[in-house]
Amino acid sequence: MNAGDTERRPWVVGVSGASGTPYAAAVLRALLAAGESVDLVVSRASRLTLLDETGISFRDAHWREDLQEWLARGADGKPGTFGVDTRGVRYWAAGDLAAGPSSGSYATKGMLIVPASTACVAGVALGLSKDLLQRAASVTLKEGRRLVVCVRETPLNGQTLRHLVSLDEAGAIVLPASPAFYAGATHIQDLVDFVAGRTLDAAGVPHQLYRRWKGELGGGSREA
């Protein structure tokens, strides 16, 4: 291990199987743009969602090429929309329960689960640790680090609501993927970026993904 490795403190980003892979892409791009290091965990279910929503097959053996293609796409699916440097990303397979984020002694800044499916929410709330994503979230909670759960489902039944309350009581930040319109959104990417920006706000990571409220009615409909 070199000196650079010992100083590295990444954000763990878990991508679960809920619809909303553009949210994850926007969060990842913004973290990298802010100079943050990222440890990425992509669940098996999320690979199916990613394939369905983007046409991209995410493969362990070719993860960097697949990640690059994914992050370069806009929320409308257009390839080559963004230029992204993925050198700050380290990838861990979801089935690797011996991976760094599975241990509390592995130093991280916290974890963002985006999007979070109701199955993922239940697994983390119940401490199941059935894969690396759930295990890393449990570790984040037990170590008192910041855990942001960007849940993407509607409507929510009572069982899921109880799981979300359990996560809140355990110290997690429950952040529904709920876009707002006061920032003057004119494109689907603007709505995606708002949710991604609120996720990063909860993590304390600076960004410029959306226009913030300034206490002026109609401000979002005017040119900045």
Side-chain angles (χ1 to χ4, degrees):
M1 180 180 293
N2 59 42
D5 290 332
T6 61
E7 296 169 359
R8 185 177 183 272
R9 286 193 66 215
W11 284 97
V12 180
V13 176
V15 185
S16 81
S19 176
T21 56
Y23 293 132
V27 165
L28 288 165
R29 284 193 298 265
L31 285 171
L32 295 172
E36 299 285 348
S37 296
V38 172
D39 275 22
L40 177 63
V41 182
V42 178
S43 77
R44 288 174 180 155
S46 70
R47 295 175 190 230
L48 297 176
T49 307
L50 184 63
L51 180 62
D52 183 56
E53 294 183 345
T54 70
I56 296 171
S57 297
F58 197 90
R59 304 159 294 174
D60 286 346
H62 303 280
W63 70 267
R64 194 172 295 279
E65 299 97 311
D66 298 336
L67 177 65
Q68 187 76 44
E69 182 183 0
W70 175 27
L71 298 191
R73 288 180 182 242
D76 58 2
K78 183 179 179 180
T81 300
F82 298 99
V84 185
D85 183 350
T86 62
R87 286 178 294 180
V89 179
R90 184 173 186 178
Y91 171 73
W92 301 96
D96 185 3
L97 291 177
S102 69
S103 173
S105 65
Y106 183 80
T108 72
K109 292 184 177 180
M111 182 173 183
L112 314 175
I113 305 177
V114 55
S117 66
T118 54
C120 174
V121 165
V124 177
L126 297 173
L128 298 182
S129 295
K130 73 176 185 118
D131 61 9
L132 179 59
L133 195 160
Q134 291 183 15
R135 172 59 185 168
S138 295
V139 166
T140 301
L141 287 176
K142 81 179 183 69
E143 295 296 324
R145 299 168 186 160
R146 192 165 301 191
L147 174 65
V148 182
V149 180
C150 184
V151 60
R152 215 306 304 163
E153 184 59 273
T154 190
L156 296 170
N157 63 28
Q159 187 176 46
T160 297
L161 290 169
R162 285 188 285 273
H163 288 149
L164 292 173
V165 170
S166 295
L167 289 178
D168 176 77
E169 291 173 342
I173 298 172
V174 176
L175 193 149
S178 179
F181 296 85
Y182 61 76
T186 59
H187 191 275
I188 186 174
Q189 189 67 54
D190 298 327
L191 298 175
V192 167
D193 284 348
F194 181 86
V195 172
R198 295 298 287 150
T199 302
L200 293 172
D201 287 344
V205 176
H207 65 87
Q208 295 182 334
L209 288 176
Y210 68 88
R211 183 183 301 161
R212 296 184 182 278
W213 176 251
K214 297 183 183 294
E216 181 183 359
L217 290 176
S221 63
R222 301 170 188 166
E223 291 296 327

